[in-house]
Amino acid sequence: MTFCEYKPGLEGIPAAQSSISCVDGTKGILEYRGIAIEELAQKSTFIETAYLLIWGKLPTLDELEDFETDIRLHRRIKYSIRDMMKCFPDRGHPMDALQTSVAALGLFYSRRALDDPIYIRGAVVRILAKIPTMVAAANSMRRGNDPIQPNDNLDYCANFLYMLTESKPDPLSAKVFDACLTLHAEHTMNASTFSAMVTASTLTDPYGVIASAVGTLAGPLHGGANEEVLLMLEEIGTVKNVRTYVENSITNKRKIMGFGHRVYKVKDPRATILQELAEQLFELKGHDEYYDIALELERVVEEELGSKGIYPNVDFYSGLVYRKLGIPQDLFTPIFAIARVAGWLAHWKEQLAENRIFRPAQIYTGLHEQTYIPIDER
Ligand code: CMC
């Protein structure tokens, strides 16, 4: 058998054919189903974008209303899931709470009918509807409070912010948050999507698919970077420390969080939009001193590492937006998951349509023909 060249991280190796999204990393273009992300962030909503990603077309007004209504009706989570969540340790990371809770949905909705469109739609609706409720509930319960019930009068994003704070968000905050979810909803073959597809290819239930994707998203090289960015800005402390921080990072081969991307070799188009959204929020709610540090960091990193194609990625400015919305730092990655679930579900559906189980090869580098040594002779 012949093997093609081994590429660590499968860099550049196609793992699937997909019509869901497309990135041009040298021009800084991202499209969902052929529509530019800038246009969707400005004109669409997260729920409409999720429909577009999952069903491959923009919904009609009736289709969108049905979809929104179904999601609204399924926002609540069962008492037993809430009781289970109450037992989670209050210092556990909310991403672990989310992964466990999503996996638990599989215990309660265990019918698996992957060739039944009604089952598929039900699972899509349930997952999209319940994940924000679970994130907000975990946040309340770790503080010793009861979860805040979903508010049926509020749309998807306003309701999530309401469940976090028990107060209705102002219209700009809700709109900005909605655009953030749209920007994070899908991004071709990233680690968590690949993880979802590998799991999906075994024909397991969709809750297991999403649980594995959540686990993969949690790492600091992937979705966890948005949380790390704020920790880094905190550590830098003031604008005048930026250059030393960058130089030390380069000398010590430490990655600067929120910069660099396997595909983009220019500034991530989502970072540009998120920066604009952050500025809109600062105008309404007041300036954030971390933004000055972030701007200087972008300038110095471009100077030092721009030649290597290291520019801000989606995680660089999202944390500043969430911080201005009053969202706790360790919820940034669960919020990424709330958004990315749309993309994972789209890939799950696409995988099922032409399924073949993933079973890559490996290049064995170990020994052969060794003899077993009895334990008392080792
Ligand atoms: N800071 C400093 N140098 C960097 C950075 C960075 N953030 N990212 C890449 N480089 C350098 C790296 O040191 C290497 O240099 P050299 O060739 O001299 O050894 C070169 O650029 C290539 O880096 P790599 O690690 O081989 O690139 P990769 O494609 O394997 O990794 C990445 C991509 C996103 C994991 C990486 O850029 C990184 O760790 N960034 C920081 C974490 C981060 O912001 N992650 C969020 C990614 S975007 C959202 C998401 O996908 O979830």
Side-chain angles (χ1 to χ4, degrees), residues 118-195:
I118 295 173
Y119 172 83
I120 300 281
R121 185 184 162 100
V124 163
V125 163
R126 209 170 268 136
I127 290 169
L128 278 166
K130 293 188 192 305
I131 283 192
T133 312
M134 292 192 297
V135 171
N139 184 53
S140 298
M141 289 194 276
R142 68 178 166 164
R143 292 160 184 209
N145 299 324
D146 278 331
I148 297 163
Q149 284 300 302
N151 181 333
D152 291 339
N153 298 319
L154 297 177
D155 70 20
Y156 192 83
C157 289
N159 173 57
F160 174 70
L161 294 175
Y162 165 79
M163 289 188 296
L164 277 189
T165 59
E166 213 172 350
S167 66
K168 287 185 192 170
D170 62 83
L172 180 70
S173 297
K175 190 171 166 289
V176 164
F177 187 72
D178 194 302
C180 288
L181 294 194
T182 301
L183 292 172
H184 286 84
E186 158 64 6
H187 205 246
T188 72
M189 192 53 61
N190 52 85
S192 58
T193 299
F194 186 42
S195 169

